[in-house]
Amino acid sequence: MSDIGCHALVWTGTFEREGLTRAVERTRNAGYDLLEIPLLRPHAFDVATAKEILADSDLDVSASMGLSDATDIGSADPEIVKAGEQTLNKAVEIVSELGGRHLCGVLYGVLKKYPGPATAQGRANSQDVLRRVARRAADSGVQLSLEVVNRYESNMFNTCKGALEYLDEVGDDSIKVHLDSYHMNIEESGMIAPVLAAADRLGYVHIGESHRGYLGSGTVDFGSFFRALAMVDYDGPIAFESFSTAVVDDILSVSLAVWRNLWDDSDDLGRHANDFIRGKLRAVETIALH
Ligand code: MN
């Protein structure tokens, strides 16, 4: 059974005690199993406080992240690549300490519009780092999943096929693919083939609408996507992502180009998405009876 999760930015743009407490309480109240925390500044993250707040709830936890220009493991600069490896190792350590099992997102580079295509050197650098980080992650019981994002947010790969090729070159089966319906809706030919192509190499799923607002109010073909997840017996996390100027994180809001308000009531949005996801899962489950 998949854990149904919610990205913390639905509830809070800050991750000190107050913000985290709010995110944990509201995620639980909206009916989710898991809280996904964006680890935007792993070295500044207060693990002890987060651990304490999570211990008071029965929520599972996961973390997502992207690297910065100073920690881009896809860079040609060895110092920057080294800083990136340290940041990823720190993030793995945090997830492990929090009792989480998943670290996902753009772990292979920066979430930004790159000025040109990825270089062979940058690709190889990022793959070398991920090969090493994956071994440490496996020892800590943490699974890495690389998120496939659209062309405006990465130049490394933009489709599931591209991610699988990249991972074939890495050659470590413990690293999985992370698919996000929002990005798939921009770059893929449909919502079924990528899931079938990834099959048991799919490790994490983000559910986002085409405009990243209320599920069902945009153009994403969720019916097909959930059918495909059922076809491959996907049982990893399924986390809802939505962004609005109603809740702002300085780094993430800018890199994701969140310029307008798509909702103002986090509780209503969160409950709606939880019901929406569970409803789709229930529907595809019954196909087995047909
Ligand atoms: Mn995503």
Side-chain angles (χ1 to χ4, degrees):
M1 275 286 283
S2 284
D3 255 2
I4 309 306
C6 190
H7 194 283
L9 218 68
V10 166
W11 317 103
T12 180
T14 60
F15 295 91
E16 28 44 82
R17 180 175 295 275
E18 194 198 336
L20 271 172
T21 302
R22 184 166 57 241
V24 167
E25 284 175 5
R26 304 264 180 101
T27 299
R28 195 76 202 95
N29 289 344
Y32 292 96
D33 311 307
L34 172 143
L35 173 66
E36 179 183 314
I37 299 175
L39 281 183
L40 300 162
R41 311 156 190 87
H43 285 98
F45 189 77
D46 183 352
V47 194
T49 299
K51 201 171 170 177
E52 183 193 321
I53 294 165
L54 284 159
D56 291 337
S57 90
D58 55 356
L59 274 184
D60 288 336
V61 67
S62 67
S64 53
M65 65 182 293
L67 296 165
S68 70
D69 284 321
T71 59
D72 185 0
I73 61 172
S75 165
D77 181 333
E79 289 304 313
I80 292 176
V81 173
K82 194 172 150 201
E85 182 163 355
Q86 284 166 354
T87 300
L88 288 170
N89 282 331
K90 179 68 183 171
V92 166
E93 189 186 306
I94 292 171
V95 174
S96 172
E97 279 185 46
L98 294 179
R101 288 179 292 117
H102 293 273
L103 176 63
C104 61
V106 183
L107 307 177
Y108 49 87
V110 185
L111 187 76
K112 70 168 187 182
K113 182 169 185 252
Y114 278 84
T119 63
Q121 181 66 61
R123 184 180 175 99
N125 286 350
S126 67
Q127 290 169 324
D128 289 343
V129 170
L130 285 172
R131 212 173 278 126
R132 288 192 291 274
V133 175
R135 271 185 237 126
R136 289 174 71 134
D139 289 342
S140 313
V142 175
Q143 183 187 289
L144 306 182
S145 299
L146 308 190
E147 183 167 12
V148 184
V149 298
N150 71 76
R151 65 190 69 189
Y152 305 109
E153 299 183 32
S154 176
N155 60 0
M156 199 67 83
F157 45 77
N158 304 118
T159 61
C160 183
K161 185 181 169 200
L164 291 170
E165 285 165 2
Y166 175 94
L167 283 174
D168 283 343
E169 291 163 21
V170 174
D172 184 326
D173 292 346
S174 74
I175 311 178
K176 306 288 184 187
V177 175
H178 166 185
L179 289 179
D180 179 320
S181 59
Y182 163 81
H183 298 290
M184 292 171 74
N185 188 56
I186 296 171
E187 300 289 359
E188 303 281 3
S189 57
M191 303 303 281
I192 294 179
V195 176
L196 300 187
D200 61 358
R201 299 172 74 186
L202 182 59
Y204 204 94
V205 167
H206 271 164
I207 296 295
E209 191 43 282
S210 52
H211 43 51
R212 306 198 107 146
Y214 270 73
L215 299 181
S217 68
T219 62
V220 171
D221 179 5
F222 286 113
S224 293
F225 189 45
F226 279 93
R227 277 171 195 241
L229 293 176
M231 283 180 210
V232 299
D233 293 322
Y234 177 74
D235 63 358
I238 299 177
F240 172 56
E241 263 194 330
S242 182
F243 304 100
S244 167
T245 49
V247 178
V248 173
D249 170 273
D250 294 343
I251 296 179
L252 205 54
S253 294
V254 170
S255 42
L256 296 176
V258 181
W259 313 132
R260 70 187 198 274
N261 196 356
L262 295 168
W263 42 264
D264 44 27
D265 184 340
S266 297
D267 291 304
D268 186 64
L269 171 86
R271 272 194 299 269
H272 175 269
N274 179 62
D275 291 346
F276 184 96
I277 292 169
R278 290 185 195 278
K280 292 283 186 223
L281 286 172
R282 178 62 192 137
V284 294
E285 195 178 60
T286 66
I287 292 174
L289 303 171
H290 294 195

